[in-house]
Amino acid sequence: MLQGMFQEGQMIKITNLEKFYRTEEVETIALNKLSMEVGTGEFVAIMGPSGCGKSTLLNILGMLDDPDDGSYVFNDIEVAHFNERKRADLRKHNIGFVFQSFNLIDELTVFENVELPLIYTGVPAAERVKRVEEVLDKMQIMHRRNHYPQQLSGGQQQRVAIARAVVNKPKLILADEPTGNLDSTNGNDVMELLTDLNEQGTTIIMVTHSEHDARYSHRIIRLLDGQAVVENIMV
Amino acid sequence: MIKNYLKIAWRNLIRNKGFSLTNILGLTIGMTCSIFIFLWVKDEVSFDRFHAGHNNIYKLMANRDFKNSIFTDENMAFPLAKALETGNPQIKYAVMTSHQENHLAQYGNVKLNKDGYQVSDQFFKMFSWKFIKGDAKTSINDPKSMVLTESAARAFFGNEDPINKVIKIDNQLNFKVSAIIADPPGNSTFKFDFIVPFEYTSTESKNRMHEWSNSSNFVFIEAMPGVKQEALNKYVNDVKHQNDSHDQISTYYTFAMNKWHLYGEFKDGKNIGGMIEYVRLFTIVAIIILLIACVNFMNLSTARSEKRAKEVGIRKTLGSDKKQLIIQFFFESIILTCIAFVFAIMAVYLLMPLFNSLVSKNLQLSVVEPFFLTGMVIIILFTGIVAGSYPALYLSSFNPVKVLKGTFAAGKSAVLPRRILVVGQFVMSILLISATIIVYQQIQHIKNRNIGYNPNNLMMVPSSQETDKNYVAIKQELFNSGLISAVTRTSAPITEVGWKSPSPDYEGKPAGSIIFAGLSTDVDFTKTMGTKVLMGRDFNAMPGDSGVMLLNKAAVEAMNLKNPIGMQMRYGPRKYTVAGVIENIVMESPYKPVEPLMVYYNPYGSRMIDIRLKNNADVKKAIQVLRVVFTKYNPNNIFDFKFVDQEFGKKLITEELISRITNIFAGLAIFICCIGLAGLASFTIEKRFREIGVRKVLGASVQQLLMLISTEFLKLVMIAFVIAVPLTWWFMNDWLQKYTYHVSISIWMFAIVGIIILLLTLVVVSINTLKAALANPVKSLRSE
Ligand SMILES: Nc1ncnc2c1ncn2[C@@H]1O[C@H](COP(=O)(O)OP(=O)(O)OP(=O)(O)O)[C@@H](O)[C@H]1O
Ligand SMILES: [Mg+2]
């Protein structure tokens, strides 16, 4: 078991985490007694073949899904058995998501998409405008604030998605193949953005298939059949 | 080709079970309602049409022009029919009948109270009754003959042959059964168990043949085909005035048989319609309900179509042209309609007994009748084409390039018509619900009107010669039971006006006469009825009572009397002193103002004994006591009794019926709306499933998600509400104007309807949304 490099504190500790998917015919073990830790401020990449449980792990870390067994301690709080409301509450104040397929809402403009998390955490309107503009500026997408997602390129859409993920200043960003739908130039831009965020103190856990992208991280966790097989520390 | 369309349509229905079931349910309910309404309407408009001469048969009516009102009178002078018949080739037949009267009829040990008419000799020639035994032409030639209905004959004679059997009426007159006819059908205005001829040979009848100024019988004429009604009216007026020059206030006219049932109401001497209003109303309601169900189909089809856009695109690239697509979608809607129609027919068969008891009719659905077959084709085509039109045109116009490139988004162009349709549906539903509530309120309002007496705990038993003879003993025994607080006798049931005539003469009476209702009673009239004496006194059993009269408040007002007590009144040959003024008693329509009434003291002219039970009296026990007492003192008649509150209730029967029917239909209309809404909500949610997931990941709570989806629909309902309120007000205010005593439409009622509809929408939409809102967002995001 390797420790994270930046020992400022421990953010995530999972122990013997298990997740099964049962369908009528088969039972899939998506996570098989997986244990790992992530320190505050780390940038971790998770890699592994398709179907090995990366997304499943990310969903559980993001409290979108609950494990079948095992423990998950987030910032010293055991959350494995939290009910839906408590998880949602913890999630909306601490975690931002970036998806491969962006998941922007088509009916809302760029500005409105980014504003959503602030609405749900009850930030007053004036403050919202300020913060959304700030983050759009940072993502260099300000000039597109009134466009709808369909009117943007993939790279621009992902920048909006990242803007939305960080607008609430989360402590942790979970990114599931954030460059998967992008060409290499746009992909590199996104990676630069994530690195910047990490340097400013945000913990990042990113699932990726690309060794190139993984090199932006501090540490790579390789999964196989729901278990961590290797961890590489990047220097 | 058609087979191919059918196959594809069928598969689509099977594949989209939720969609198909929602639509079939809505359409089935819609069509079931429509079929019931059309059966009801068909029965209503078919009244009296079974008489071969129905186009040329008329009832004679008179407008008698009194100072206070025009009295529309159906009663005609005794010799009129005979006089009309002779010497005018335009008149085929003229017939006089009595009012429908209830008589005691006896054969052997079987004693039954039966309804019958006395009729003049051409009765069976003018009206087409179905003879089962005996001959229409000769059946009433003998003045002592009687024609029985089939069911009456069975009641008296069982399986025996009824012909030539003798039935005794009212313990005194013997009639010989000469013929049997089928019972009058449900759509007959005449309703009876037996018919007996008028008797013209006695000296009394011969005298009546010269009595032109008393009117107490109905007269009907059948004209030769092609004779104009104006000509008939003029002829009747001429004959009457030639024979009775004193009759200055009456105008006579003919009332066509085809209008008897649907246009039976007169006000101020003018025909103001009647059931026809409800026939029209319910026809509209049937169409509205069917339209609401069609709108469901349109909305759900177009909503679903966005999922089918890709299919349309592919079909078009493969060479299908627009027309073929249109036909295909029409096939789907017509197949769905046919399936729903089959279910509707089954529902109609199953629910027929229930509906019949609801509308007190005996309707039947006969599938082989041409009326039904044409109706079926009309309903299916109407529904199928209306429902299929919009989806067919909308779907077939998709641009295949856009659809397949994935840039197709069903934009505003699709959403707006759908919203308009939903708003339309809700406008109609809100209108129906509000109308239902207003009808109900109006009935309650009438029920709560001060009717001038207390109909509760009040019983009536018909009088006879024996009850007249034994009245003192009967009264004593009734009081002895301890259950009864007062007893009186009246010349008519308190729920009817026995006779009407011009007002009595009095000093200072202005020219022109006022029409009065008349009633004669025994002592304790006001005590038994629970009527307030406003001035003076009631009859008090003093010998002088026979020279005394009571007036109601309306009479005092109509005669414009300052101090009526002690005034002298001359009525015919007799003189009366006004002893008291009583409250207005509602004896006729509870919807109309009470007319002037004069009450005399005359215990021997009674038709009813009125019995006031004590407030805490056990009703069953009271009936028992009455049965014992009347069987003892009135052994030759069947013990019969009525509760006055029930008799009074009959005056509200039509409105109560309308109220019940509108209740049910309004409920069903809103139900169909709701299943449509549920379907639409579930499509919306399906479309926004991913969005809901994203929002959840970003921290939206379940409540926030419910509100997000619901507001879209709540907005539409709100718009519908705003449109429906003035519409309802306009329609219903018009309806209420018909009634002299009516409620005013309150804003609160609308507020409550609004809240109920909004809550209903919220619940329906929330139930559908909840599943998506509670779903794990991981799933919705995966489904991308
Ligand atoms: N909802 C589900 N129902 C059934 N099985 C599932 C479900 N979600 C995931 N699985 C299974 O769990 C295993 C892990 O899936 P997961 O999505 O975590 O893989 P992954 O590592 O993210 O793969 P990829 O790189 O292709 O995204 C797979 O075998 C998958 O089939
Ligand atoms: Mg994955």
Side-chain angles (χ1 to χ4, degrees):
Chain A
M1 171 73 40
L2 296 164
Q3 292 292 312
M5 299 181 61
F6 299 86
Q7 292 295 329
E8 291 164 32
Q10 189 188 54
M11 177 176 268
I12 287 168
K13 179 181 168 62
I14 58 174
T15 322
N16 290 333
L17 208 62
E18 288 184 88
K19 180 74 186 176
F20 309 104
Y21 288 109
R22 291 176 197 87
T23 58
E24 272 149 39
E25 294 120 47
V26 284
E27 187 180 273
T28 316
I29 304 176
L31 296 178
N32 187 5
K33 293 197 186 300
L34 178 69
S35 300
M36 61 177 263
E37 287 174 25
V38 177
T40 308
E42 263 198 291
F43 186 160
V44 177
I46 297 174
M47 300 191 73
S50 184
C52 68
K54 304 180 297 291
S55 296
T56 307
L57 174 63
L58 218 58
N59 288 337
I60 291 175
L61 291 178
M63 297 175 218
L64 295 174
D65 217 349
D66 48 353
D68 291 310
D69 202 3
S71 135
Y72 172 18
V73 176
F74 181 85
N75 277 342
D76 298 330
I77 307 165
E78 173 61 69
V79 297
H81 305 295
F82 262 29
N83 67 16
E84 160 123 25
R85 230 193 55 236
K86 279 183 172 168
R87 277 194 274 146
D89 212 44
L90 202 58
R91 180 172 69 226
K92 72 181 168 191
H93 288 106
N94 291 295
I95 304 175
F97 289 88
V98 180
F99 301 94
Q100 176 180 359
S101 51
F102 322 136
N103 277 329
L104 298 175
I105 293 173
D106 294 338
E107 286 78 13
L108 302 182
T109 61
V110 165
F111 183 91
E112 287 162 346
N113 263 292
V114 176
E115 190 188 17
L116 269 184
L118 297 176
I119 293 177
Y120 291 134
T121 44
V123 176
E127 167 92 20
R128 289 208 296 269
V129 175
K130 214 185 94 214
R131 276 167 65 176
V132 173
E133 282 178 350
E134 206 175 277
V135 67
L136 285 179
D137 233 14
K138 205 156 97 189
M139 300 294 148
Q140 293 165 13
I141 198 86
M142 192 57 185
H143 57 296
R144 300 282 181 160
R145 54 175 289 167
N146 290 325
H147 286 65
Y148 286 91
Q150 306 94 296
Q151 298 166 321
L152 302 180
S153 74
Q156 287 169 328
Q157 288 192 39
Q158 194 61 302
R159 285 219 289 276
V160 175
I162 293 173
R164 191 176 65 179
V166 301
V167 71
N168 238 345
K169 303 203 165 79
K171 298 189 180 71
L172 172 66
I173 285 181
L174 299 172
D176 196 345
E177 300 183 42
T179 60
N181 283 4
L182 303 175
D183 62 33
S184 58
T185 325
N186 275 315
N188 285 342
D189 280 359
V190 166
M191 289 318 299
E192 293 294 342
L193 275 172
L194 290 176
T195 310
D196 284 354
L197 286 168
N198 177 249
E199 275 164 9
Q200 285 155 32
T202 314
T203 310
I204 294 179
I205 302 176
M206 173 184 76
V207 168
T208 183
H209 281 290
S210 144
E211 292 288 347
H212 169 264
D213 286 355
R215 252 175 253 134
Y216 285 87
S217 72
H218 306 145
R219 181 155 69 101
I220 302 173
I221 298 175
R222 290 183 195 275
L223 292 189
L224 189 63
D225 292 337
Q227 283 177 305
V229 284
V230 204
E231 296 195 28
N232 303 344
I233 299 173
M234 321 289 296
V235 202
Chain B
M1 197 65 193
I2 286 187
K3 212 174 129 198
N4 183 278
Y5 287 141
L6 281 174
K7 202 167 70 192
I8 293 168
W10 178 252
R11 279 193 196 152
N12 260 316
L13 297 183
I14 296 287
R15 204 170 305 141
N16 301 287
K17 287 202 182 67
F19 166 85
S20 304
L21 287 179
T22 309
N23 274 311
I24 289 174
L25 181 63
L27 287 171
T28 302
I29 296 173
M31 288 202 250
T32 308
C33 290
S34 305
I35 294 172
F36 274 128
I37 292 178
F38 286 129
L39 284 175
W40 183 83
V41 166
K42 182 192 159 219
D43 185 70
E44 287 290 312
V45 301
S46 74
F47 256 72
D48 298 319
R49 301 289 166 122
F50 58 91
H51 294 293
H54 67 89
N55 286 327
N56 299 309
I57 296 176
Y58 303 90
K59 184 176 196 175
L60 295 192
M61 309 284 285
N63 280 342
R64 309 208 195 272
D65 196 355
F66 288 91
K67 228 178 91 187
N68 55 336
S69 70
I70 297 174
F71 170 41
T72 297
D73 195 358
E74 307 170 317
N75 292 298
M76 298 291 139
F78 195 81
L80 182 63
K82 280 268 182 279
L84 289 170
E85 203 177 25
T86 41
N88 185 340
Q90 292 187 322
I91 306 286
K92 196 169 173 191
Y93 305 114
V95 165
M96 168 172 66
T97 77
S98 65
H99 286 234
Q100 188 211 59
E101 285 166 356
N102 190 270
H103 292 275
L104 176 69
Q106 183 176 9
Y107 171 73
N109 292 327
V110 188
K111 273 190 199 176
L112 298 166
N113 282 326
K114 289 287 168 197
D115 294 324
Y117 289 94
Q118 272 180 286
V119 304
S120 65
D121 40 7
Q122 313 278 27
F123 181 80
F124 286 110
K125 292 181 187 139
M126 184 185 289
F127 300 109
S128 319
W129 306 108
K130 201 170 136 212
F131 274 73
I132 294 170
K133 278 188 175 140
D135 182 4
K137 288 190 204 75
T138 59
S139 59
I140 50 172
N141 284 359
D142 179 352
K144 288 284 172 238
S145 57
M146 172 185 268
V147 175
L148 275 183
T149 63
E150 208 178 358
S151 58
R154 206 175 311 114
F156 285 109
F157 310 112
N159 292 326
E160 286 175 49
D161 182 8
I163 300 297
N164 290 333
K165 295 260 177 8
V166 174
I167 285 187
K168 184 174 243 167
I169 295 291
D170 295 339
N171 295 317
Q172 41 185 346
L173 296 168
N174 284 323
F175 290 92
K176 195 192 274 181
V177 177
S178 65
I180 304 297
I181 59 174
D183 292 1
N187 56 1
S188 168
T189 300
F190 284 103
K191 294 257 163 39
F192 55 86
D193 302 305
F194 67 87
I195 297 287
V196 292
F198 270 114
E199 181 264 340
Y200 290 98
T201 49
S202 69
T203 38
E204 197 204 324
S205 303
K206 281 182 178 143
N207 288 338
R208 287 184 79 190
M209 282 308 279
H210 302 289
E211 181 52 78
W212 277 93
S213 55
N214 263 349
S215 301
S216 50
N217 292 296
F218 301 142
V219 172
F220 304 90
I221 54 177
E222 180 173 350
M224 289 309 212
V227 176
K228 290 250 164 37
Q229 224 174 326
E230 294 80 50
L232 294 172
N233 294 350
K234 183 176 181 308
Y235 173 60
V236 174
N237 279 300
D238 289 349
V239 170
K240 169 72 182 174
H241 291 134
Q242 271 162 29
N243 287 287
D244 180 21
S245 56
H246 301 294
D247 185 3
Q248 296 298 327
I249 59 167
S250 307
T251 315
Y252 293 84
Y253 54 97
T254 51
F255 181 32
M257 180 180 241
N258 290 347
K259 290 192 161 189
W260 288 357
H261 181 70
L262 293 179
Y263 299 82
E265 284 176 29
F266 291 84
K267 190 181 180 186
D268 299 329
K270 285 189 204 82
N271 191 296
I272 53 160
M275 283 308 281
I276 186 70
E277 272 181 61
Y278 296 113
V279 167
R280 285 196 199 115
L281 177 75
F282 285 133
T283 308
I284 295 171
V285 169
I287 293 171
I288 287 181
I289 291 182
L290 212 49
L291 279 179
I292 291 178
C294 289
V295 167
N296 272 358
F297 181 86
M298 297 184 201
N299 277 339
L300 296 180
S301 310
T302 51
R304 184 185 58 147
S305 69
E306 280 140 31
K307 276 171 63 186
R308 282 178 71 178
K310 204 164 180 182
E311 175 199 329
V312 173
I314 293 169
R315 279 178 194 281
K316 277 197 173 176
T317 34
L318 294 181
S320 167
D321 66 15
K322 196 172 163 166
K323 207 172 81 205
Q324 284 166 318
L325 282 167
I326 291 180
I327 294 174
Q328 192 199 321
F329 288 116
F330 266 122
F331 258 93
E332 275 180 42
S333 72
I334 292 199
I335 286 188
L336 211 66
T337 313
C338 288
I339 297 172
F341 188 80
V342 172
F343 282 119
I345 291 294
M346 294 199 288
V348 169
Y349 267 109
L350 282 175
L351 298 174
M352 193 59 112
L354 217 69
F355 184 73
N356 272 330
S357 72
L358 177 78
V359 301
S360 345
K361 280 186 190 286
N362 192 14
L363 304 176
Q364 267 159 358
L365 180 67
S366 101
V367 188
V368 288
E369 232 182 282
F371 170 83
F372 174 82
L373 292 174
T374 42
M376 176 181 92
V377 172
I378 290 171
I379 287 186
I380 289 182
L381 283 184
F382 173 84
T383 315
I385 288 174
V386 170
S389 58
Y390 173 59
L393 297 175
Y394 169 67
L395 275 166
S396 58
S397 66
F398 283 168
N399 179 334
V401 180
K402 274 192 187 164
V403 169
L404 294 182
K405 254 177 74 183
T407 50
F408 169 81
K412 298 240 157 33
S413 64
V415 174
L416 187 64
R418 198 144 72 222
R419 289 193 175 151
I420 293 173
L421 289 172
V422 171
V423 169
Q425 271 186 319
F426 273 89
V427 167
M428 293 189 246
S429 296
I430 293 170
L431 210 147
L432 276 179
I433 289 187
S434 315
T436 307
I437 294 176
I438 293 169
V439 170
Y440 176 80
Q441 284 178 331
Q442 170 65 9
I443 291 176
Q444 291 308 311
H445 181 71
I446 294 294
K447 278 186 173 167
N448 293 336
R449 179 183 171 193
N450 177 14
I451 58 168
Y453 72 105
N454 177 9
N456 304 318
N457 282 322
L458 187 58
M459 293 177 73
M460 302 189 285
V461 176
S463 313
S464 69
Q465 288 175 343
E466 278 146 5
T467 61
D468 279 353
K469 208 166 65 200
N470 300 320
Y471 184 67
V472 177
I474 292 173
K475 204 168 154 181
Q476 193 53 51
E477 290 212 15
L478 290 178
F479 278 124
N480 289 348
S481 74
L483 298 170
I484 275 120
S485 64
V487 177
T488 191
R489 291 183 271 187
T490 45
S491 58
I494 194 67
T495 50
E496 285 172 24
V497 166
W499 76 84
K500 288 190 184 182
S501 69
S503 67
D505 290 328
Y506 55 97
E507 207 176 310
K509 184 185 162 193
S513 56
I514 299 170
I515 186 152
F516 263 64
L519 179 71
S520 68
T521 77
D522 199 347
V523 292
D524 290 339
F525 171 65
T526 53
K527 187 180 171 198
T528 312
M529 294 301 163
T531 299
K532 275 198 208 111
V533 179
L534 302 175
M535 283 177 179
R537 63 167 177 90
D538 191 0
F539 306 115
N540 57 8
M542 294 298 174
D545 269 353
S546 57
V548 158
M549 168 191 275
L550 306 179
L551 296 176
N552 72 355
K553 200 167 155 236
V556 175
E557 280 159 8
M559 294 157 96
N560 204 7
L561 302 178
K562 291 265 145 45
N563 192 4
I565 304 296
M567 273 189 72
Q568 298 294 312
M569 298 280 161
R570 199 171 61 253
Y571 186 63
R574 310 191 59 152
K575 281 195 178 134
Y576 297 90
T577 310
V578 177
V581 175
I582 60 171
E583 228 177 327
N584 288 338
I585 297 177
V586 177
M587 299 164 79
E588 293 185 294
S589 166
Y591 304 105
K592 290 179 186 157
V594 175
E595 291 188 332
L597 171 76
M598 50 190 168
V599 187
Y600 319 96
Y601 175 76
N602 177 16
Y604 302 107
S606 92
R607 256 174 71 200
M608 284 292 166
I609 299 175
D610 309 275
I611 299 154
R612 163 72 56 195
L613 307 186
K614 285 185 175 161
N615 272 342
N616 52 1
D618 177 349
V619 174
K620 278 204 190 99
K621 242 163 126 188
I623 294 173
Q624 204 48 46
V625 168
L626 261 61
R627 185 187 301 280
V628 171
V629 172
F630 281 94
T631 321
K632 180 170 165 194
Y633 290 105
N634 190 20
N636 291 325
N637 285 288
I638 301 167
F639 171 65
D640 190 17
F641 64 91
K642 288 194 167 104
F643 287 101
V644 174
D645 50 359
Q646 285 172 7
E647 291 303 295
F648 186 83
K650 288 181 185 166
K651 296 177 188 296
L652 299 158
I653 266 182
T654 308
E655 273 75 10
E656 297 243 23
L657 169 72
I658 301 308
S659 169
R660 255 179 294 161
I661 298 180
T662 45
N663 271 339
I664 291 173
F665 290 148
L668 287 173
I670 199 77
F671 179 73
I672 301 177
C673 268
C674 282
I675 54 177
L677 195 65
L680 214 51
S682 73
F683 276 118
T684 308
I685 289 151
E686 216 171 293
K687 231 176 72 190
R688 296 176 73 171
F689 200 56
R690 192 178 66 91
E691 178 192 337
I692 291 172
V694 174
R695 283 179 185 267
K696 239 188 138 176
V697 169
L698 297 178
S701 68
V702 173
Q703 290 94 309
Q704 281 166 323
L705 291 173
L706 289 184
M707 274 325 284
L708 175 77
I709 304 292
S710 304
T711 36
E712 187 184 324
F713 292 98
L714 289 177
K715 257 189 252 159
L716 299 183
V717 172
M718 233 102 99
I719 295 172
F721 183 72
V722 169
I723 298 173
V725 167
L727 270 182
T728 312
W729 193 88
W730 187 58
F731 277 123
M732 292 315 286
N733 203 43
D734 193 51
W735 179 75
L736 286 171
Q737 292 314 313
K738 220 175 75 150
Y739 299 99
T740 313
Y741 300 96
H742 61 77
V743 285
S744 46
I745 300 172
S746 87
I747 298 171
W748 282 113
M749 192 266 316
F750 284 122
I752 289 167
V753 170
I755 289 168
I756 289 173
I757 296 273
L758 284 178
L759 282 180
L760 208 58
T761 311
L762 206 60
V763 169
V764 168
V765 175
S766 297
I767 287 171
N768 281 280
T769 315
L770 210 54
K771 216 178 101 199
L774 289 177
N776 190 330
V778 175
K779 281 201 190 105
S780 38
L781 299 181
R782 259 180 77 90
S783 71
E784 175 69 358

